[in-house]
Amino acid sequence: MELHDVWFVLIAVLWTGYFFLEGFDFGVGILTKLLARNRPEKRVLINTIGPVWDGNEVWLLTAGGATFAAFPEWYATLFSGFYLPLLVILVCLIVRGVAFEYRAKRPEENWQRNWENAIFWSSLIPAFLWGVAFGNIVHGVKIDRNLEYVGGVGDLLNPYALLGGLVTLTLFTFHGTVFTALKTVGDIRERARKLALRVGLVTAVAALVFLLWTQAHTGNGRSLVALVVAVVTLVSALVANQVGREGWAFALSGVTIVAAVAMLFLSLFPNVMPSTLNADWSLTVTNASSSPYTLKIMTWCAGIATPIILLYQGWTYWVFRKRIGTQHIAEPAH
């Protein structure tokens, strides 16, 4: 296996880790409107991800940086062609971070409600747009002979990509719902389990259609295996949720995300961005990669730094592993 193939796999792993972690993160943000009935319950939801949300976003920064260094042509075409949706995602992530920090700085009802609305929308919009972006990456976009994107924003809003956005939105919401059931106690835990069933059924239908469409369009034997794993684990997550095994439900919903993202990358390889104008103009792991020397240096750096980051982030989740409820929410100090 060549180094550019290795880095294609590593970037796929980074995106998978990001969607696994930020998936429930976005889902909990969406649940502040769908599940929480009052301010203490909203504070419970926010507190479940409060210690970890910023660490989850490190995976996005690493994935973007790795793409820039390992596949500069892919990075240039992707970030120039998808400039507007990626800019919207970036703004949402900035607003979301500010909202987490500023929501409780003042006691006024309007102040806190506005920041809570910001958390909801800045979680929902990226959850949808990431699916649209990856739907276009897998399906293909208008790339010319110079390896440049020549389409417009409207070309990105095709039925396949919009369905991909619906899948990531519902799947992340389901992932966040089972995470909430795992991390909370009392009435909010029971309501999260009931909501997870409804959201999960919608997710199952949308995901099945999207994955079958992907398999029919660009799939192969390996992607078919990933498709089957995604479907089986999603159904199993629904069953585990119904019998009150929140830990298994969360783990299985996470495996669903892993399998679904793996299927997209398996169906994409060896391309990194197919061209719908001419297959010969597609960006591949070969024509979009950096020099072998650059990839070699990156491999050594990643081999040293990655285990340290994984250990630190794992320790963070272990420290904040306990369930919380409204009884753990202190009265405002204002």
Side-chain angles (χ1 to χ4, degrees), residues 89-101 115 118-119 122:
I89 291 173
L90 176 61
V91 171
C92 285
L93 295 180
I94 293 172
V95 171
R96 192 166 181 264
V98 173
F100 282 133
E101 298 296 332
W115 285 119
I119 291 173
S122 60

Side-chain angles (χ1 to χ4, degrees), residues 63-142:
T67 304
F68 170 75
F71 298 99
E73 287 285 354
W74 185 13
Y75 181 92
T77 304
L78 175 64
F79 280 77
S80 59
F82 293 20
Y83 179 80
L84 184 57
L86 293 178
L87 176 62
V88 173
I89 291 173
L90 176 61
V91 171
C92 285
L93 295 180
I94 293 172
V95 171
R96 192 166 181 264
V98 173
F100 282 133
E101 298 296 332
Y102 275 72
R103 181 191 58 83
K105 295 298 185 182
R106 289 172 56 178
E108 290 87 348
E109 174 71 20
N110 287 342
W111 173 273
Q112 296 196 3
R113 184 174 61 250
N114 288 339
W115 285 119
E116 287 162 359
N117 289 335
I119 291 173
F120 171 76
W121 288 109
S122 60
S123 299
L124 185 148
I125 294 172
F128 176 76
L129 289 180
W130 279 127
V132 173
F134 271 83
N136 279 291
I137 291 173
V138 173
H139 188 267
V141 291
K142 294 180 179 179

Side-chain angles (χ1 to χ4, degrees), residues 13-324:
V13 170
L14 289 171
W15 280 111
T16 302
Y18 173 67
F19 287 143
F20 180 98
L21 296 171
E22 193 84 308
F24 73 76
D25 199 325
F26 285 144
V28 171
I30 293 169
L31 292 181
T32 57
K33 285 284 188 184
L34 301 183
L35 184 65
R37 291 176 174 174
N38 49 47
R39 177 134 296 116
E41 289 190 352
K42 290 182 179 180
R43 291 177 63 189
V44 167
L45 291 175
I46 293 172
N47 285 0
T48 62
I49 59 174
V52 298
W53 68 267
D54 48 354
N56 294 344
E57 293 184 356
V58 171
W59 289 76
L60 172 62
L61 299 176
T62 308
T67 304
F68 170 75
F71 298 99
E73 287 285 354
W74 185 13
Y75 181 92
T77 304
L78 175 64
F79 280 77
S80 59
F82 293 20
Y83 179 80
L84 184 57
L86 293 178
L87 176 62
V88 173
I89 291 173
L90 176 61
V91 171
C92 285
L93 295 180
I94 293 172
V95 171
R96 192 166 181 264
V98 173
F100 282 133
E101 298 296 332
Y102 275 72
R103 181 191 58 83
K105 295 298 185 182
R106 289 172 56 178
E108 290 87 348
E109 174 71 20
N110 287 342
W111 173 273
Q112 296 196 3
R113 184 174 61 250
N114 288 339
W115 285 119
E116 287 162 359
N117 289 335
I119 291 173
F120 171 76
W121 288 109
S122 60
S123 299
L124 185 148
I125 294 172
F128 176 76
L129 289 180
W130 279 127
V132 173
F134 271 83
N136 279 291
I137 291 173
V138 173
H139 188 267
V141 291
K142 294 180 179 179
I143 298 175
D144 65 8
R145 66 174 66 251
N146 297 317
L147 306 182
E148 296 179 356
Y149 178 70
V150 293
V153 175
D155 295 313
L156 303 178
L157 303 178
N158 56 80
Y160 176 81
L162 293 175
L163 179 59
L166 176 63
V167 170
T168 53
L169 175 59
T170 55
L171 183 55
F172 291 170
T173 304
F174 173 70
H175 196 41
T177 308
V178 294
F179 176 79
T180 300
L182 175 64
K183 288 287 293 180
T184 58
V185 296
D187 181 57
I188 193 171
R189 174 188 177 189
E190 296 302 318
R191 284 188 281 116
R193 286 175 52 195
K194 293 178 181 178
L195 180 61
L197 175 61
R198 298 195 295 271
V199 176
L201 291 174
V202 175
T203 303
V205 174
L208 181 60
V209 174
F210 178 74
L211 294 179
L212 288 175
W213 192 344
T214 303
Q215 181 66 26
H217 181 65
T218 57
N220 50 55
R222 293 169 297 181
S223 64
L224 179 59
V225 173
L227 185 156
V228 173
V229 173
V231 173
V232 170
T233 52
L234 180 55
V235 173
S236 300
L238 285 168
V239 174
N241 174 73
Q242 281 303 99
V243 298
R245 301 299 297 272
E246 291 101 343
W248 278 105
F250 176 70
L252 289 166
S253 70
V255 174
T256 301
I257 292 176
V258 171
V261 177
M263 181 193 174
L264 296 182
F265 278 96
L266 287 170
S267 63
L268 184 63
F269 185 82
N271 293 323
V272 293
M273 282 188 78
S275 172
T276 57
L277 300 179
N278 188 324
D280 293 335
W281 299 344
S282 297
L283 290 171
T284 68
V285 293
T286 303
N287 65 19
S289 68
S290 294
S291 67
Y293 183 69
T294 300
L295 296 177
K296 184 177 181 179
I297 293 176
M298 290 176 61
T299 304
W300 278 104
C301 293
I304 295 171
T306 302
I308 298 173
I309 296 172
L310 291 176
L311 286 172
Y312 173 77
Q313 192 162 23
W315 176 79
T316 303
Y317 276 91
W318 174 255
V319 169
F320 296 101
R321 67 189 182 277
K322 294 184 177 180
R323 297 176 182 267
I324 63 173

